[in-house]
Amino acid sequence: MIWNDMERLLSKIATLYYIEGKTQKEIAEQLNMSPSKVFRILNEAKNMGIVQISIKQPIVSCNSLELEFERKFGLKEAIIVNVGQEDQDNLLSLLGQAACDYLKRIVTPADIIGISWGQTLYEMVKQLQPFGVEGTKIVQLVGGINNGQENIEAVELAKRLSQVFNSSPILFYCPAVVANPEVKKGLLLDKNIKDVLELSKKATIALVGIGTMDKESLLFKKGHLSSNWHSELLKRNAVGDVCMRFFKLDGTPCNEDLDDLIVGIELEDLKKIRTVICIAGGINKSKAILGALKAKIPKVLITDKITAEKILEIEAKGGVQ
């Protein structure tokens, strides 16, 4: 009888709290007990299975996969878009929309946003409309790349993003890749370039893509980096880059010689930014994304379900596809 009475009490308090919507204080007053006892009874009701909580997930939710990425790679947040094979043509647009939603959730007028370049970032910027936050500073993270697709170039993306926040962009007026280290040293003496680099280090949010070693990627296809560099990077086991800073599958940096020719934020300075948002998807980017995760570059990763599953598969096999 004692057990049945306790079970009845557990059920009654659970009903008052979860069904009737009463507060723990109101239940305590009604049943003449302390709020702390009500709290303990509610926990006991869950432990005994009298209360069973289920959360109805959106059809597109990948919550368990997101949690696995957050735990495994130490991410602040993973946003994994459930894009099926039939929607692969719209993948970049869907990733861009997810990035818009996340940025609108976190950004404030006091933030400084650094942005690199690329098709996925373009898809984000073109979808982002003014939403009531103004004055946020926008700074370019890497020098310019003239690739015949002006809309995905760093200068253009920074300009477009600044329009959303009704602010003026802080821009590099120099190429991303120079001929030799002496040219870079000369450029770094320029006050404008020095100021942009210093502000990029103070960014609170970074929006970056992740590049691959595919010879058809824009860096190599358009000749921004020569075929000799491509061969040399492959010899050194590079799998991808962020802001033209290349890394191996285990996350270690790759090819300091090339770093001496890049005008833009250094990898270690990028990693110090409070919220580095890496936006990348497509199964061909799996190894590059895994390398970036191993390098601890992203604080937030936005990718798609098929790619995320492939990353875990590669990780489980020790980097072998």
Side-chain angles (χ1 to χ4, degrees), residues 50-321:
I50 291 172
V51 172
Q52 298 181 23
I53 298 174
S54 65
I55 300 172
K56 185 177 180 181
Q57 306 289 359
I59 293 173
V60 297
S61 172
C62 296
N63 283 1
S64 60
L65 196 54
E66 291 173 349
L67 288 170
E68 185 172 0
F69 264 72
E70 288 161 7
R71 285 193 291 260
K72 183 179 286 289
F73 300 110
L75 295 170
K76 181 184 295 185
E77 188 163 352
I79 299 170
I80 298 175
V81 183
N82 193 348
V83 182
Q85 290 288 356
E86 69 281 2
D87 290 320
Q88 289 298 301
D89 289 346
N90 296 320
L91 175 60
L92 297 187
S93 177
L94 293 168
L95 293 176
Q97 182 58 60
C100 285
D101 293 342
Y102 181 75
L103 185 62
K104 288 192 286 187
R105 170 154 53 100
I106 67 164
V107 72
T108 72
D111 279 310
I112 300 172
I113 301 176
I115 188 167
S116 63
W117 65 279
Q119 188 66 47
T120 311
L121 290 178
Y122 167 67
E123 290 294 336
M124 184 208 78
V125 171
K126 81 174 184 180
Q127 295 181 69
L128 189 63
Q129 300 297 319
F131 56 99
V133 175
E134 295 191 352
T136 303
K137 289 182 180 178
I138 309 300
V139 62
Q140 195 177 332
L141 292 177
V142 67
I145 294 200
N146 181 13
N147 48 37
Q149 289 183 263
E150 186 179 276
N151 56 6
I152 71 167
E153 205 261 328
V155 172
E156 183 64 20
L157 290 180
K159 286 180 179 178
R160 288 185 177 218
L161 190 60
S162 67
Q163 291 171 1
V164 173
F165 297 102
N166 195 25
S167 62
S168 298
I170 295 89
L171 304 173
F172 278 118
Y173 290 103
C174 69
V177 187
V178 297
N180 58 63
E182 294 306 312
V183 173
K184 179 177 176 179
K185 287 178 184 177
L187 286 172
L188 294 183
L189 294 175
D190 181 86
K191 184 179 184 303
N192 172 71
I193 292 172
K194 284 169 63 177
D195 289 347
V196 177
L197 279 172
E198 285 306 309
L199 187 63
S200 71
K201 295 177 187 178
K202 297 176 182 176
T204 53
I205 298 171
L207 294 167
V208 297
I210 299 175
T212 73
M213 290 305 301
D214 187 338
K215 210 162 186 179
E216 291 301 302
S217 72
L218 286 173
L219 273 181
F220 303 110
K221 186 176 181 179
K222 297 292 183 179
H224 306 302
L225 290 177
S226 68
S227 58
N228 289 338
W229 275 120
H230 184 260
S231 299
E232 187 61 30
L233 286 163
L234 288 177
K235 283 180 189 175
R236 301 192 189 191
N237 299 317
V239 295
D241 78 284
V242 172
C243 293
M244 299 185 74
R245 307 297 178 176
F246 287 83
F247 44 80
K248 301 176 187 178
L249 188 59
D250 64 2
T252 55
C254 186
N255 208 323
E256 291 76 6
D257 296 342
L258 179 57
D259 287 347
D260 291 336
L261 306 180
I262 304 301
V263 181
I265 192 167
E266 300 280 348
L267 190 56
E268 287 309 308
D269 290 325
L270 177 67
K271 288 159 70 172
K272 291 174 185 175
I273 293 174
R274 185 193 70 209
T275 306
V276 179
I277 306 168
C278 285
I279 312 156
I283 204 161
N284 64 311
K285 290 202 171 186
S286 301
K287 282 193 171 183
I289 296 171
L290 179 56
L293 288 166
K294 291 285 192 177
K296 303 293 184 186
I297 297 171
K299 306 294 195 307
V300 176
L301 174 66
I302 300 175
T303 192
D304 63 284
K305 183 173 183 284
I306 294 173
T307 303
E309 290 172 341
K310 186 63 176 179
I311 289 167
L312 293 180
E313 179 187 328
I314 296 170
E315 166 76 350
K317 293 178 178 179
V320 180
Q321 281 185 300

